């Protein structure tokens, strides 16, 4: 009987991480990717989905903000490292510069095709891909890696290593003069195997941390405005 113990320990050593991975993939990960969203919100298509038709990863997160869409929209319009920031963890995504705590008139003009700096240096950016005032704002980033150089797939061949992603904000009126904000991300990268691992280990947890912080700060700002 004692002779079987090393084999049993080896079996348990292998089985525990496999079981943990299965639970994470089947239960934990779907909940993290759809943080705050209803099943209907997570399942329905959103404007901008068609820009990344075969994503390697996608998420749908949502919150309810204490102001109507007309009062939420100005906060979204002025996002960008070269503008009002991202309302998340500023030390991580805005070079330590505090995000705006008021509506700034000179940052209220936004149009499709406009670039919003995604890093303080301005060397990388999001492009405004879809804009419907007070309803939809979809930002797109196409980056060659590891340089972080933006490229445009309409005019340039795809790099050997790249990421193509959209970050969409979708507003709808909610009872009580509030706003339901659904945030959809979709992304693909090459080589695919590498980016699938990176998504699970880094990109998805990082997005959850940053997005929920943005939700919290937007609730505070729009609540003060209301």
């Amino acid at each position: 009987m004692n002779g079987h113990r090393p084999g049993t320990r080896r079996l348990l050593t292998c089985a525990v991480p496999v079981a943990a991975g299965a639970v994470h993939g089947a239960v934990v990960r779907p909940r993290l990717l759809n943080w705050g969203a209803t099943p209907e919100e997570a399942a329905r298509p959103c404007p901008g989905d068609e820009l990344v038709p075969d994503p390697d990863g996608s998420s749908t997160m949502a919150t309810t903000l204490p102001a109507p869409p007309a009062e939420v929209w100005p906060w979204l319009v002025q996002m960008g490292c070269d503008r009002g920031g991202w309302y998340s963890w500023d030390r991580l995504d805005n070079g330590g510069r505090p995000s705006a705590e008021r509506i700034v008139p000179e940052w209220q003009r936004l149009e499709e095709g406009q670039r919003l700096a995604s890093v303080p240096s301005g060397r990388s950016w999001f492009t405004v891909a879809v804009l419907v005032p007070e309803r939809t704002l979809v930002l797109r980033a196409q980056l060659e890696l590891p340089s972080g150089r933006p490229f445009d797939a309409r005019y340039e061949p795809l790099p050997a290593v790249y990421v193509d992603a959209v970050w969409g904000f979708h507003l709808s009126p909610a009872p009580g003069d509030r706003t339901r904000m659904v945030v959809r991300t979709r992304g693909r990268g090459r080589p695919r195997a590498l980016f699938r691992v990176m998504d699970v280990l880094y990109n998805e947890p990082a997005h959850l941390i940053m997005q929920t912080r943005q939700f919290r700060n937007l609730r505070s700002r729009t609540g003060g405005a209301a």
Side-chain angles (χ1 to χ4, degrees):
M1 185 172 179
N2 290 341
H4 295 289
R5 287 179 180 175
T8 301
R9 285 195 295 269
R10 284 195 295 270
L11 180 61
L12 289 174
T13 300
C14 295
V16 169
V18 169
V23 170
H24 176 80
V27 179
V28 179
R29 185 167 177 249
R31 294 187 66 181
L32 297 182
L33 293 177
N34 297 320
W35 187 274
T38 66
E40 188 275 331
E41 290 169 335
R44 75 185 182 205
C46 290
D49 286 357
E50 71 281 359
L51 298 174
V52 185
D54 183 26
D56 298 325
S58 179
S59 71
T60 305
M61 302 183 187
T63 191
T64 299
L65 301 174
E71 295 180 11
V72 173
W73 183 254
W75 294 98
L76 300 184
V77 167
Q78 66 183 23
M79 290 191 301
C81 282
D82 51 343
R83 295 154 64 87
W86 301 106
Y87 315 121
S88 187
W89 293 99
D90 293 321
R91 288 190 178 183
L92 298 179
D93 67 3
N94 206 36
R97 183 171 64 89
S99 294
E101 296 189 2
R102 63 183 181 89
I103 302 300
V104 180
E106 54 264 37
W107 292 334
Q108 289 303 300
R109 297 188 63 181
L110 196 65
E111 58 186 21
E112 290 187 6
Q114 188 170 335
R115 295 175 177 177
L116 304 179
S118 58
V119 295
S121 68
R123 293 165 62 181
S124 299
W125 56 79
F126 289 105
T127 300
V128 179
V130 182
L131 188 151
V132 181
E134 300 182 13
R135 289 181 54 189
T136 295
L137 175 62
V138 179
L139 307 179
R140 187 178 191 179
Q142 296 177 302
L143 301 174
E144 181 180 359
L145 299 176
S147 68
R149 182 189 72 86
F151 70 94
D152 191 328
R154 294 175 300 175
Y155 309 114
E156 303 176 60
L158 293 177
V161 183
Y162 73 91
V163 63
D164 182 5
V166 293
W167 186 21
F169 300 80
H170 308 280
L171 309 181
S172 60
D177 212 21
R178 298 181 298 170
T179 296
R180 187 65 174 168
M181 185 169 77
V182 175
V183 175
R184 169 71 52 82
T185 67
R186 286 164 71 89
R188 64 179 172 220
R190 296 295 181 273
R192 175 169 282 183
L194 171 64
F195 278 94
R196 283 184 170 172
V197 173
M198 287 293 295
D199 280 343
V200 173
L201 296 181
Y202 175 75
N203 295 332
E204 292 171 2
H207 176 61
L208 174 68
I209 292 169
M210 302 302 286
Q211 188 60 65
T212 53
R213 177 70 173 186
Q214 187 191 64
F215 284 162
R216 176 182 176 182
N217 286 336
L218 283 173
R219 282 195 297 269
S220 173
R221 284 164 169 79
T222 57

